Amino acid sequence: MNNLIFAVIAAMGIPSAITGFCFWLVQRKIEKRDAADKAQREERQKELDKREEIRYKNELYLIKSVGASIALGEATARAVQRIPDAHCNGDMHEALAYAQKVKHEQKDFLTEQAIRAISDDE
């Protein structure tokens, strides 16, 4: 009788133990894959952050370059206007007014963007 009970318990326990072990192996494999995916996502995010920083610097230098070009154009126009023999036509005056207008529009736009960025962060 004891052998029969032991045989029944063994018959029920061995398949359950094997199944549990198999599930443990599958779970371990899934956890390893998840860890590898997480590391890959973090590395990708670092690359994207680096690209975004480069893009930010590029735009900053473009804005500075535009400002410098406008300042140089204004200074050149004013210098040429002071030369008595230069005979500036209306184009020089219009170009100078246009450059100043664009400079102020850009400054207003950048100020608006800065205020929006500050407001969105809060």
Side-chain angles (χ1 to χ4, degrees):
M1 176 88 171
N2 283 341
N3 286 341
L4 181 60
I5 293 174
F6 180 73
V8 170
I9 292 174
M12 290 172 39
I14 292 175
S16 295
I18 292 172
T19 303
F21 180 72
C22 290
F23 278 121
W24 177 76
L25 288 175
V26 169
Q27 181 181 4
R28 204 170 134 205
K29 187 173 185 177
I30 290 171
E31 288 172 357
K32 282 183 180 180
R33 185 178 58 199
D34 287 347
D37 287 345
K38 182 179 178 183
Q40 189 178 21
R41 281 192 308 272
E42 288 174 355
E43 185 64 30
R44 179 73 176 142
Q45 187 61 45
K46 285 179 184 177
E47 289 176 18
L48 291 174
D49 291 345
K50 184 177 178 182
R51 283 185 185 177
E52 187 63 29
E53 182 64 25
I54 291 170
R55 188 175 298 123
Y56 167 80
K57 285 182 179 181
N58 182 49
E59 293 209 16
L60 179 64
Y61 289 131
L62 284 173
I63 291 169
K64 286 181 176 184
S65 296
V66 167
S69 296
I70 291 173
L72 180 61
E74 287 176 330
T76 303
R78 286 194 179 102
V80 169
Q81 287 176 347
R82 285 188 214 122
I83 300 172
D85 297 335
H87 302 300
C88 293
N89 59 16
D91 292 342
M92 178 71 77
H93 299 290
E94 288 175 18
L96 182 58
Y98 178 69
Q100 289 172 339
K101 178 184 173 226
V102 169
K103 178 176 71 174
H104 291 294
E105 286 176 354
Q106 182 186 37
K107 182 180 174 185
D108 293 342
F109 172 76
L110 293 173
T111 301
E112 179 184 337
Q113 295 303 309
I115 291 170
R116 283 187 182 176
I118 290 169
S119 297
D120 290 346
D121 286 347
E122 293 175 1

